[in-house]
Amino acid sequence: MVHESVLQHEAVEALVTTPSGHYVDATFGRGGHSRALLSALDSDARLLVIDRDPEAIRVARELADEDERVSVVYAPFAQLHAALASVGWEQVHGILLDLGVSSPQLDEPERGFSFRNDGPLDMRMDPESGESAAQWLARAEEGEIRRVLKEYGEERFAKRIAHSIVTTRAEEPLTRTVQLADLIDHAVPFRDKHKHPATRSFQAIRIHINEELQELDSVLEQAVDALAPGGRLVVISFHSLEDRRVKRFMRDQSRGPAIPKGVPVTAEQEQSRFRVVGKASQATARERDENVRSRSAVMRILECLH
């Protein structure tokens, strides 16, 4: 079965302003957006795909073998400038960011992203690089765990969960996803009606392990530098921490650089290089019914004017 990416049609429609242009899918995943983009692009267009997941890169290279318009870079999207340089591009007509963990990653227990199926407590986007969730939980101080759960998961019972983690690991290491999920279930005093008690904590630990918010801040800055006049940055977020950052960044870019009080403002300074295109978009009712993950998706668009 071919996986269809969230807001696939809407993202492609928003992104492609020049069918013969140069585009970047900086979160290839399993290629749903990229394949839809290629269908909307002319034969002389070019598409650069980036991902830090080795399995995603394997699929991307298969696509590149099928379509000469595609180039592939194995890297975090925060290395956007380096990725563009590696293919000799300075500016592009569109950049797509589909944030967070992909559905195939969630569906593979051995990746450790989901508490619904037992697997090793890994959570790395690139399992060949960096520290796993199990390794971090084995060494982190209780205060650091509490901070991560509260800051990245907005978990109101962060203190209880962090204390339970530190107490439990003293007797046996936390190495499995279901093991951690059960610990959290017992640590919190009550459940939300429609959400597993481990949901926020797993999100928080994953964000921390992969430095997702730092990577997002970095790629947003690089993306606006890389956009050609008329080019667009399209970002799909799946939780409020990401979306607030994206919304604030695009708003600030559309306002232009801050002018110190008392400094004369020229006509050039008054006009920002960027504008926010339309309002934030969400999945249709039909897509939300067919794909649970799409229910929290928010898409925002920023356009380079000159």
Side-chain angles (χ1 to χ4, degrees), residues 55-67:
E55 181 60 22
I57 290 300
R58 183 189 66 77
V59 177
R61 286 175 177 152
E62 290 177 356
L63 180 62
D65 288 341
E66 299 168 5
D67 195 320

Side-chain angles (χ1 to χ4, degrees), residues 97-119:
L97 300 172
D98 179 9
L99 303 175
V101 63
S102 70
S103 295
Q105 288 170 329
L106 284 170
D107 293 340
E108 296 168 9
E110 63 271 19
R111 299 300 300 273
F113 287 107
S114 174
F115 48 79
R116 300 190 185 282
N117 299 298
D118 191 31

Side-chain angles (χ1 to χ4, degrees), residues 167-178:
T167 302
T168 301
R169 78 184 184 192
E171 299 179 1
E172 66 171 324
L174 291 166
T175 61
R176 309 291 296 183
T177 54
V178 168

Side-chain angles (χ1 to χ4, degrees), residues 224-270:
V224 293
D225 286 343
L227 285 179
R232 288 182 171 183
L233 168 65
V234 174
V235 185
I236 302 171
S237 306
F238 289 89
H239 58 75
S240 59
L241 291 177
E242 294 171 338
D243 185 52
R244 285 199 295 265
R245 267 176 154 81
V246 174
K247 180 180 179 180
R248 183 171 60 245
F249 177 83
M250 290 188 175
R251 179 199 64 203
D252 291 347
Q253 290 295 319
S254 68
R255 289 176 177 172
I259 307 299
K261 191 174 181 179
V263 174
V265 179
T266 67
E268 290 179 353
Q269 289 172 323
E270 285 180 349

